[in-house]
Structures are given as structure tokens and as C-alpha cells.
Amino acid sequence: QVQLAESGGGLVLPGGSLTLSCAASGSIFRLIAMGWYRETPGKQRELVATINSGQATHYSDSVKGRFTISRGDTRNTVNLRMNSLTPEDAAVYYCSVRYYGDFTTRAEVWGQGTLVTVAS
């Protein structure tokens, strides 16, 4: 069974930087994409950034130019480098992986979330 391990959340000052990491483990036949999403109380989960198996990336308008998503050094890992953080970026960040479990079965798994707090 595929599982995700998230790390890197914590407390950072406004204007600071933080890097989130996510590693997928289990029976992934072929990776489709990995990404980061975030939730704030009163708001539904929103996309932050994604990267697919061909290294193509997508960012929400609110983080363009500040966040960078990249594939990790090991297979089925992803990093999110967050720069110039503001209180509006504070949220629980969730990692996701979309993959084929075999030749025909498509699936998606979510991590448990890691808390990012931006405050002075």
C-alpha cells in the first residue's frame, strides 16, 4: 500500500524560508505526478504546486515566483522550497501522489499534513 511521509513544517518569521519534503513508498508502478496542497480554517484545500513525471510544474498564482517545487534526489520524492513567506501562507500543507498501481489502475494518496506557521 502506498504511503506518504511529509516533513519540514514549522514556525518561521515573515519573509523567511522553509522547505517541505515528501516521500512516497509502496507499490507505485508508474508515477503520474506529486504535489503540495494547503488548508486554512474556513477555506477548502487548495493547490499550491505540482510536478509531473516529465518535470513539468504548475503553481498557484499566489505562490508563483516565491515557491519552487522539484523532484527529490531519490525516486518518488518531492520538495517544496518556500521563500518570502507571509502570514497568508500559514496553513496545513498536504502532499499528494498520483500514480498507476498497475497497467490500468490509477490512484491518488494524501499525506497526513504538516503545519506551517508564519508569525513574528
Side-chain angles (χ1 to χ4, degrees), residues 18-63:
L18 209 60
T19 298
L20 306 182
S21 299
C22 177
S25 61
S27 300
I28 296 177
F29 178 71
R30 184 167 297 174
L31 184 71
I32 299 171
M34 297 186 73
W36 287 96
Y37 298 73
R38 65 188 182 188
E39 287 185 11
T40 302
K43 299 173 67 176
Q44 67 180 19
R45 187 172 299 183
E46 66 175 2
L47 180 147
V48 176
T50 61
I51 184 167
N52 67 17
S53 60
Q55 308 299 322
T57 59
H58 174 75
Y59 298 92
S60 68
D61 290 339
S62 62
V63 307

CSV table of all heavy atoms in Angstrom, one decimal, residues 18-63:
chain,number,residue,atom,x,y,z
A,18,LEU,N,11.3,28.1,4.1
A,18,LEU,CA,11.1,26.8,4.7
A,18,LEU,C,11.0,25.8,3.5
A,18,LEU,O,10.5,26.2,2.4
A,18,LEU,CB,9.8,26.8,5.5
A,18,LEU,CG,9.6,25.8,6.6
A,18,LEU,CD1,10.7,26.1,7.7
A,18,LEU,CD2,8.2,26.0,7.2
A,19,THR,N,11.5,24.6,3.7
A,19,THR,CA,11.4,23.6,2.7
A,19,THR,C,10.7,22.4,3.2
A,19,THR,O,11.0,21.9,4.3
A,19,THR,CB,12.8,23.1,2.3
A,19,THR,OG1,13.6,24.3,1.7
A,19,THR,CG2,12.8,22.0,1.2
A,20,LEU,N,9.7,22.0,2.5
A,20,LEU,CA,8.9,20.8,2.8
A,20,LEU,C,9.3,19.7,1.9
A,20,LEU,O,9.7,19.9,0.7
A,20,LEU,CB,7.4,21.1,2.5
A,20,LEU,CG,6.7,22.3,3.2
A,20,LEU,CD1,5.3,22.3,2.9
A,20,LEU,CD2,7.0,22.2,4.7
A,21,SER,N,9.3,18.5,2.5
A,21,SER,CA,9.7,17.3,1.7
A,21,SER,C,8.7,16.2,1.9
A,21,SER,O,8.0,16.1,2.9
A,21,SER,CB,11.1,16.8,2.2
A,21,SER,OG,12.1,17.7,2.1
A,22,CYS,N,8.6,15.4,0.8
A,22,CYS,CA,7.6,14.3,0.8
A,22,CYS,C,8.2,13.1,0.1
A,22,CYS,O,8.7,13.3,-1.0
A,22,CYS,CB,6.3,14.8,0.1
A,22,CYS,SG,5.0,13.5,0.0
A,23,ALA,N,8.0,12.0,0.7
A,23,ALA,CA,8.5,10.7,0.1
A,23,ALA,C,7.3,9.7,0.0
A,23,ALA,O,6.7,9.5,1.0
A,23,ALA,CB,9.6,10.2,0.9
A,24,ALA,N,7.1,9.2,-1.1
A,24,ALA,CA,6.1,8.1,-1.3
A,24,ALA,C,6.8,6.8,-1.3
A,24,ALA,O,7.8,6.6,-1.9
A,24,ALA,CB,5.4,8.4,-2.7
A,25,SER,N,6.1,5.9,-0.7
A,25,SER,CA,6.6,4.5,-0.6
A,25,SER,C,5.5,3.5,-0.9
A,25,SER,O,4.3,3.8,-0.7
A,25,SER,CB,7.3,4.2,0.8
A,25,SER,OG,6.3,4.3,1.8
A,26,GLY,N,5.8,2.3,-1.4
A,26,GLY,CA,4.9,1.3,-1.7
A,26,GLY,C,4.9,0.9,-3.1
A,26,GLY,O,5.8,1.2,-3.9
A,27,SER,N,3.8,0.3,-3.6
A,27,SER,CA,3.7,-0.3,-4.9
A,27,SER,C,3.2,0.7,-5.9
A,27,SER,O,2.1,0.8,-6.4
A,27,SER,CB,2.8,-1.5,-4.9
A,27,SER,OG,3.2,-2.5,-4.0
A,28,ILE,N,4.2,1.6,-6.3
A,28,ILE,CA,3.9,2.6,-7.4
A,28,ILE,C,4.5,2.0,-8.7
A,28,ILE,O,5.7,1.9,-8.9
A,28,ILE,CB,4.5,3.9,-7.1
A,28,ILE,CG1,3.9,4.5,-5.9
A,28,ILE,CG2,4.4,4.8,-8.3
A,28,ILE,CD1,4.4,5.9,-5.5
A,29,PHE,N,3.6,1.6,-9.6
A,29,PHE,CA,4.0,1.0,-10.9
A,29,PHE,C,4.6,2.1,-11.8
A,29,PHE,O,5.7,1.9,-12.4
A,29,PHE,CB,2.9,0.3,-11.6
A,29,PHE,CG,3.2,-0.3,-12.9
A,29,PHE,CD1,4.0,-1.3,-13.0
A,29,PHE,CD2,2.7,0.3,-14.1
A,29,PHE,CE1,4.4,-1.9,-14.3
A,29,PHE,CE2,3.0,-0.2,-15.3
A,29,PHE,CZ,3.8,-1.3,-15.4
A,30,ARG,N,3.9,3.2,-11.9
A,30,ARG,CA,4.4,4.4,-12.7
A,30,ARG,C,3.8,5.7,-12.1
A,30,ARG,O,2.6,5.8,-11.9
A,30,ARG,CB,3.9,4.2,-14.1
A,30,ARG,CG,4.4,5.3,-15.0
A,30,ARG,CD,4.2,4.9,-16.5
A,30,ARG,NE,5.0,3.7,-16.8
A,30,ARG,CZ,4.9,3.1,-18.0
A,30,ARG,NH1,4.1,3.5,-18.9
A,30,ARG,NH2,5.6,2.0,-18.2
A,31,LEU,N,4.7,6.6,-11.8
A,31,LEU,CA,4.3,7.9,-11.2
A,31,LEU,C,3.7,8.8,-12.2
A,31,LEU,O,4.2,8.9,-13.3
A,31,LEU,CB,5.5,8.5,-10.6
A,31,LEU,CG,5.3,9.8,-9.8
A,31,LEU,CD1,4.6,9.6,-8.5
A,31,LEU,CD2,6.6,10.6,-9.5
A,32,ILE,N,2.6,9.4,-11.8
A,32,ILE,CA,2.0,10.4,-12.7
A,32,ILE,C,2.4,11.8,-12.3
A,32,ILE,O,2.9,12.6,-13.1
A,32,ILE,CB,0.4,10.3,-12.6
A,32,ILE,CG1,0.0,8.9,-13.1
A,32,ILE,CG2,-0.2,11.4,-13.5
A,32,ILE,CD1,-1.5,8.7,-12.9
A,33,ALA,N,2.2,12.1,-11.0
A,33,ALA,CA,2.6,13.5,-10.5
A,33,ALA,C,2.6,13.5,-9.0
A,33,ALA,O,2.0,12.6,-8.3
A,33,ALA,CB,1.6,14.5,-11.0
A,34,MET,N,3.3,14.4,-8.4
A,34,MET,CA,3.3,14.7,-7.0
A,34,MET,C,3.1,16.2,-6.8
A,34,MET,O,3.4,17.0,-7.7
A,34,MET,CB,4.6,14.2,-6.3
A,34,MET,CG,4.9,12.7,-6.4
A,34,MET,SD,6.3,12.2,-5.4
A,34,MET,CE,5.7,12.4,-3.8
A,35,GLY,N,2.5,16.5,-5.7
A,35,GLY,CA,2.2,17.9,-5.5
A,35,GLY,C,1.9,18.3,-4.0
A,35,GLY,O,1.9,17.4,-3.1
A,36,TRP,N,1.8,19.6,-3.8
A,36,TRP,CA,1.5,20.1,-2.5
A,36,TRP,C,0.2,20.9,-2.5
A,36,TRP,O,0.0,21.7,-3.4
A,36,TRP,CB,2.6,21.0,-1.9
A,36,TRP,CG,3.8,20.2,-1.5
A,36,TRP,CD1,5.0,19.9,-2.2
A,36,TRP,CD2,4.0,19.6,-0.2
A,36,TRP,NE1,5.8,19.2,-1.5
A,36,TRP,CE2,5.3,18.9,-0.3
A,36,TRP,CE3,3.3,19.5,0.9
A,36,TRP,CZ2,5.8,18.2,0.8
A,36,TRP,CZ3,3.8,18.8,2.0
A,36,TRP,CH2,5.0,18.2,2.0
A,37,TYR,N,-0.6,20.7,-1.5
A,37,TYR,CA,-1.8,21.5,-1.3
A,37,TYR,C,-1.9,22.0,0.1
A,37,TYR,O,-1.1,21.6,0.9
A,37,TYR,CB,-3.1,20.6,-1.6
A,37,TYR,CG,-3.1,20.0,-3.0
A,37,TYR,CD1,-2.3,19.0,-3.4
A,37,TYR,CD2,-4.1,20.5,-3.9
A,37,TYR,CE1,-2.3,18.5,-4.7
A,37,TYR,CE2,-4.1,20.0,-5.2
A,37,TYR,CZ,-3.3,19.0,-5.6
A,37,TYR,OH,-3.3,18.5,-6.8
A,38,ARG,N,-2.7,23.0,0.4
A,38,ARG,CA,-2.8,23.5,1.7
A,38,ARG,C,-4.2,23.9,2.1
A,38,ARG,O,-5.1,24.1,1.3
A,38,ARG,CB,-1.9,24.8,1.8
A,38,ARG,CG,-2.3,26.0,1.0
A,38,ARG,CD,-1.3,27.1,1.1
A,38,ARG,NE,-1.7,28.3,0.4
A,38,ARG,CZ,-0.9,29.3,0.1
A,38,ARG,NH1,0.4,29.3,0.6
A,38,ARG,NH2,-1.3,30.4,-0.5
A,39,GLU,N,-4.5,23.8,3.4
A,39,GLU,CA,-5.8,24.1,4.0
A,39,GLU,C,-5.6,25.1,5.1
A,39,GLU,O,-4.7,25.0,6.0
A,39,GLU,CB,-6.4,22.9,4.5
A,39,GLU,CG,-7.0,21.9,3.5
A,39,GLU,CD,-7.7,20.8,4.1
A,39,GLU,OE1,-8.0,20.8,5.3
A,39,GLU,OE2,-8.0,19.8,3.3
A,40,THR,N,-6.5,26.1,5.2
A,40,THR,CA,-6.6,27.1,6.2
A,40,THR,C,-8.0,27.0,6.8
A,40,THR,O,-8.9,26.8,6.1
A,40,THR,CB,-6.3,28.5,5.7
A,40,THR,OG1,-5.0,28.5,5.1
A,40,THR,CG2,-6.4,29.5,6.9
A,41,PRO,N,-8.2,27.2,8.1
A,41,PRO,CA,-9.5,27.2,8.7
A,41,PRO,C,-10.4,28.1,7.9
A,41,PRO,O,-10.1,29.3,7.7
A,41,PRO,CB,-9.3,27.6,10.1
A,41,PRO,CG,-7.9,27.1,10.5
A,41,PRO,CD,-7.1,27.3,9.2
A,42,GLY,N,-11.6,27.6,7.5
A,42,GLY,CA,-12.5,28.4,6.8
A,42,GLY,C,-12.3,28.3,5.3
A,42,GLY,O,-13.2,28.9,4.5
A,43,LYS,N,-11.3,27.7,4.8
A,43,LYS,CA,-11.0,27.6,3.4
A,43,LYS,C,-10.8,26.1,3.0
A,43,LYS,O,-10.3,25.3,3.8
A,43,LYS,CB,-9.8,28.4,3.0
A,43,LYS,CG,-9.9,29.9,3.3
A,43,LYS,CD,-8.6,30.6,3.0
A,43,LYS,CE,-8.2,30.6,1.5
A,43,LYS,NZ,-7.0,31.4,1.3
A,44,GLN,N,-11.3,25.7,1.8
A,44,GLN,CA,-11.1,24.4,1.3
A,44,GLN,C,-9.7,24.2,0.9
A,44,GLN,O,-8.9,25.2,0.6
A,44,GLN,CB,-12.1,24.1,0.2
A,44,GLN,CG,-11.9,24.8,-1.1
A,44,GLN,CD,-12.9,24.4,-2.1
A,44,GLN,OE1,-13.9,23.9,-1.8
A,44,GLN,NE2,-12.6,24.7,-3.4
A,45,ARG,N,-9.3,22.9,0.7
A,45,ARG,CA,-8.0,22.6,0.3
A,45,ARG,C,-7.7,23.2,-1.1
A,45,ARG,O,-8.5,23.1,-2.0
A,45,ARG,CB,-7.8,21.1,0.3
A,45,ARG,CG,-6.3,20.7,0.0
A,45,ARG,CD,-6.2,19.2,0.2
A,45,ARG,NE,-6.5,18.8,1.6
A,45,ARG,CZ,-6.4,17.5,2.0
A,45,ARG,NH1,-6.0,16.5,1.2
A,45,ARG,NH2,-6.7,17.3,3.3
A,46,GLU,N,-6.5,23.9,-1.2
A,46,GLU,CA,-6.2,24.5,-2.5
A,46,GLU,C,-4.8,24.0,-3.0
A,46,GLU,O,-4.0,23.7,-2.2
A,46,GLU,CB,-6.2,26.0,-2.4
A,46,GLU,CG,-5.1,26.6,-1.5
A,46,GLU,CD,-5.0,28.1,-1.4
A,46,GLU,OE1,-5.8,28.7,-2.1
A,46,GLU,OE2,-4.1,28.6,-0.7
A,47,LEU,N,-4.7,24.0,-4.3
A,47,LEU,CA,-3.5,23.6,-4.9
A,47,LEU,C,-2.4,24.6,-4.7
A,47,LEU,O,-2.6,25.8,-4.8
A,47,LEU,CB,-3.6,23.3,-6.4
A,47,LEU,CG,-2.4,22.9,-7.2
A,47,LEU,CD1,-2.8,22.0,-8.3
A,47,LEU,CD2,-1.7,24.1,-7.8
A,48,VAL,N,-1.2,24.2,-4.3
A,48,VAL,CA,0.0,25.1,-4.2
A,48,VAL,C,0.9,24.9,-5.4
A,48,VAL,O,1.2,25.8,-6.1
A,48,VAL,CB,0.7,24.8,-2.9
A,48,VAL,CG1,2.0,25.7,-2.8
A,48,VAL,CG2,-0.2,25.1,-1.7
A,49,ALA,N,1.3,23.6,-5.6
A,49,ALA,CA,2.2,23.4,-6.7
A,49,ALA,C,2.2,21.9,-7.0
A,49,ALA,O,2.0,21.1,-6.1
A,49,ALA,CB,3.7,23.8,-6.4
A,50,THR,N,2.4,21.5,-8.3
A,50,THR,CA,2.6,20.1,-8.7
A,50,THR,C,3.7,20.0,-9.7
A,50,THR,O,4.1,20.9,-10.3
A,50,THR,CB,1.3,19.6,-9.4
A,50,THR,OG1,1.0,20.4,-10.6
A,50,THR,CG2,0.1,19.7,-8.5
A,51,ILE,N,4.2,18.7,-9.7
A,51,ILE,CA,5.3,18.4,-10.7
A,51,ILE,C,5.0,17.0,-11.2
A,51,ILE,O,4.7,16.1,-10.4
A,51,ILE,CB,6.7,18.5,-10.1
A,51,ILE,CG1,7.7,18.3,-11.1
A,51,ILE,CG2,6.8,17.6,-8.9
A,51,ILE,CD1,9.1,18.7,-10.7
A,52,ASN,N,5.0,16.8,-12.5
A,52,ASN,CA,4.7,15.5,-13.1
A,52,ASN,C,6.0,14.7,-13.4
A,52,ASN,O,7.1,15.2,-13.2
A,52,ASN,CB,3.8,15.6,-14.3
A,52,ASN,CG,4.4,16.3,-15.5
A,52,ASN,OD1,5.7,16.4,-15.6
A,52,ASN,ND2,3.6,16.7,-16.4
A,53,SER,N,5.8,13.5,-13.9
A,53,SER,CA,6.9,12.6,-14.2
A,53,SER,C,7.9,13.2,-15.2
A,53,SER,O,9.0,12.8,-15.3
A,53,SER,CB,6.4,11.3,-14.6
A,53,SER,OG,5.6,11.3,-15.8
A,54,GLY,N,7.4,14.1,-16.1
A,54,GLY,CA,8.2,14.7,-17.1
A,54,GLY,C,8.8,16.0,-16.6
A,54,GLY,O,9.4,16.8,-17.4
A,55,GLN,N,8.7,16.3,-15.3
A,55,GLN,CA,9.3,17.5,-14.7
A,55,GLN,C,8.5,18.8,-14.9
A,55,GLN,O,9.0,19.9,-14.6
A,55,GLN,CB,10.8,17.7,-15.1
A,55,GLN,CG,11.7,16.5,-14.9
A,55,GLN,CD,11.7,16.0,-13.4
A,55,GLN,OE1,11.7,16.8,-12.5
A,55,GLN,NE2,11.7,14.7,-13.2
A,56,ALA,N,7.4,18.7,-15.6
A,56,ALA,CA,6.6,19.9,-15.8
A,56,ALA,C,6.0,20.4,-14.5
A,56,ALA,O,5.5,19.5,-13.7
A,56,ALA,CB,5.5,19.6,-16.8
A,57,THR,N,6.0,21.7,-14.2
A,57,THR,CA,5.5,22.2,-13.0
A,57,THR,C,4.3,23.1,-13.2
A,57,THR,O,4.1,23.7,-14.2
A,57,THR,CB,6.6,23.0,-12.2
A,57,THR,OG1,7.1,24.0,-13.0
A,57,THR,CG2,7.8,22.0,-11.9
A,58,HIS,N,3.5,23.2,-12.1
A,58,HIS,CA,2.4,24.2,-12.1
A,58,HIS,C,2.3,24.8,-10.7
A,58,HIS,O,2.4,24.1,-9.7
A,58,HIS,CB,1.1,23.4,-12.4
A,58,HIS,CG,-0.1,24.3,-12.3
A,58,HIS,ND1,-0.5,25.2,-13.2
A,58,HIS,CD2,-1.1,24.3,-11.3
A,58,HIS,CE1,-1.6,25.8,-12.8
A,58,HIS,NE2,-2.0,25.3,-11.7
A,59,TYR,N,2.0,26.1,-10.7
A,59,TYR,CA,1.9,26.8,-9.4
A,59,TYR,C,0.6,27.6,-9.3
A,59,TYR,O,0.2,28.1,-10.4
A,59,TYR,CB,3.1,27.8,-9.2
A,59,TYR,CG,4.4,27.1,-9.2
A,59,TYR,CD1,5.2,27.0,-10.4
A,59,TYR,CD2,5.0,26.7,-8.0
A,59,TYR,CE1,6.4,26.4,-10.3
A,59,TYR,CE2,6.2,26.1,-7.9
A,59,TYR,CZ,7.0,26.0,-9.1
A,59,TYR,OH,8.2,25.4,-9.1
A,60,SER,N,0.1,27.8,-8.1
A,60,SER,CA,-1.0,28.7,-8.0
A,60,SER,C,-0.5,30.1,-8.1
A,60,SER,O,0.7,30.4,-7.9
A,60,SER,CB,-1.7,28.5,-6.6
A,60,SER,OG,-0.8,28.9,-5.6
A,61,ASP,N,-1.3,31.0,-8.5
A,61,ASP,CA,-0.9,32.4,-8.7
A,61,ASP,C,-0.3,33.0,-7.4
A,61,ASP,O,0.6,33.9,-7.5
A,61,ASP,CB,-2.1,33.2,-9.2
A,61,ASP,CG,-2.5,32.9,-10.6
A,61,ASP,OD1,-1.6,32.3,-11.4
A,61,ASP,OD2,-3.6,33.2,-11.0
A,62,SER,N,-0.9,32.6,-6.3
A,62,SER,CA,-0.4,33.2,-5.0
A,62,SER,C,1.0,32.9,-4.6
A,62,SER,O,1.6,33.6,-3.8
A,62,SER,CB,-1.4,32.8,-3.9
A,62,SER,OG,-1.4,31.4,-3.7
A,63,VAL,N,1.6,31.8,-5.2
A,63,VAL,CA,2.9,31.4,-4.8
A,63,VAL,C,3.9,31.5,-5.9
A,63,VAL,O,5.1,31.3,-5.7
A,63,VAL,CB,2.9,30.0,-4.2
A,63,VAL,CG1,1.9,29.9,-3.1
A,63,VAL,CG2,2.7,29.0,-5.3
